[in-house]
């Protein structure tokens, strides 16, 4: 799972199935389109990726 979340309050903006073709690229494109700024990313102990935005 790829999760896009706001760094300030942890609110989840979007979720993407990581196995879907182009999921990471789609997440980055949606972040830009929706006016958020990419900050960083991390992998959780459960294997999910969190992309932090502002």
């Amino acid at each position: 799972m790829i999760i896009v979340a706001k760094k300030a309050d942890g609110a989840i903006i979007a979720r993407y199935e990581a196995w879907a073709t182009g999921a990471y690229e789609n997440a980055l494109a949606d972040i830009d389109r929706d006016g958020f700024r990419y900050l960083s990313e991390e992998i959780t102990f459960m294997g999910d990726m969190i992309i932090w935005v502002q």
Side-chain angles (χ1 to χ4, degrees):
M1 181 73 65
I2 299 173
I3 300 167
V4 179
K6 289 188 210 173
K7 187 72 167 180
D9 60 6
I12 295 174
I13 305 299
R15 296 174 193 252
Y16 301 85
E17 292 293 338
W19 53 264
T21 302
Y24 182 76
E25 292 80 9
N26 290 339
L28 294 179
D30 291 348
I31 288 168
D32 187 51
R33 185 198 67 215
D34 293 341
F36 291 104
R37 187 169 64 97
Y38 173 95
L39 295 176
S40 64
E41 58 190 51
E42 66 180 80
I43 304 296
T44 68
F45 289 114
M46 297 298 289
D48 297 323
M49 172 185 278
I50 301 177
I51 300 175
W52 296 107
V53 298
Q54 179 178 18

